[in-house]
Amino acid sequence: KNQVEQSPQSLIILEGKNCTLQCNYTVSPFSNLRWYKQDTGRGPVSLTIMTFSENTKSNGRYTATLDADTKQSSLHITASQLSDSASYICVVSDRGSTLGRLYFGRGTQLTVWP
Amino acid sequence: EADIYQTPRYLVIGTGKKITLECSQTMGHDKMYWYQQDPGMELHLIHYSYGVNSTEKGDLSSESTVSRIRTEHFPLTLESARPSHTSQYLCASSEMSAGPNEQFFGPGTRLTVL
């Protein structure tokens, strides 16, 4: 069964600190992995995308890593800001469908305190 | 920010009412999707469309129906709302090109059925 598991479920950090969010998946055949940021009451917005051959991708203070062998990904946030408070969702696509079926994790709820 | 819109953003209605959630996109995307998301849970695909006059049911069984008469418009209808329909509904769209493409999400409609 295709699944995406994220940890931790929630995380509280102080402004300016770094943090790392984890994602493990069993989706096969793998196509790509995206990290989305979802602010409260809003739709998800894509932060990064990685394909099978990529193992690191950065977008400003966000750096995602991918280990396709162990089927793990992480999202590292550097020098956190209050606006980083949101749910971060790991989303994996498979190569098996023309629809581009997405498999969603439940997200990590990040809260940044001043 | 993606050019995909949903109305209303919030809706509180009584049991038995008929409702239509609107979704429009101005990106010319052929593929459109409806997801249901409960707090702290992953997004579940309930409907999708490859283009005009194409509608398919998603992974999660839903009593709602959809239509796709115009490329830019993908409304979702509940004939008789029940408290179990209380949830957040997210609309998304993506390009038709082969393989999984980035899905752009609307801001969502939070539905509460009393």
Side-chain angles (χ1 to χ4, degrees), chain B residues 55-101:
Chain B
T55 61
E56 303 286 344
K57 290 191 178 293
D59 304 318
L60 182 68
S61 175
S62 174
E63 294 167 344
S64 58
T65 59
V66 291
S67 63
R68 192 85 183 277
I69 298 174
R70 302 198 314 266
T71 297
E72 62 271 22
H73 196 213
F74 192 38
L76 180 146
T77 298
L78 274 167
E79 289 293 333
S80 179
R82 296 205 300 270
S84 61
H85 295 139
T86 294
S87 189
Q88 168 143 298
Y89 293 84
L90 290 162
C91 180
S93 71
S94 67
E95 295 178 354
M96 180 55 95
S97 55
N101 294 295

Side-chain angles (χ1 to χ4, degrees), chain A residues 9 31-32 34 36 38 41-46 89 93-95 97-102 104-106, chain B residues 1 9-10 31 33 35 37 40-43 45 48 50 59 88 90 99-103 105-107:
Chain A
Q9 182 176 346
S31 176
N32 62 60
R34 292 182 188 271
Y36 277 85
Q38 185 176 22
R42 308 290 297 180
V45 175
S46 180
I89 304 173
S93 299
D94 68 23
R95 281 191 286 113
S97 68
T98 55
L99 172 65
R101 185 65 57 87
L102 302 183
F104 293 83
R106 294 186 175 185
Chain B
E1 189 128 343
R9 292 293 315 282
Y10 304 92
K31 295 181 185 175
Y33 315 79
Y35 292 91
Q37 183 184 30
M41 302 296 287
E42 64 267 47
L43 278 72
L45 182 67
Y48 60 96
Y50 284 110
D59 304 318
Q88 168 143 298
L90 290 162
N101 294 295
E102 179 177 357
Q103 291 187 17
F105 287 85

Side-chain angles (χ1 to χ4, degrees), chain A residues 51-69:
Chain A
T51 58
F52 186 87
S53 59
E54 297 174 301
N55 50 28
T56 301
K57 183 72 70 76
S58 291
N59 177 4
R61 294 180 297 102
Y62 301 105
T63 299
T65 65
L66 173 66
D67 185 333
D69 292 330

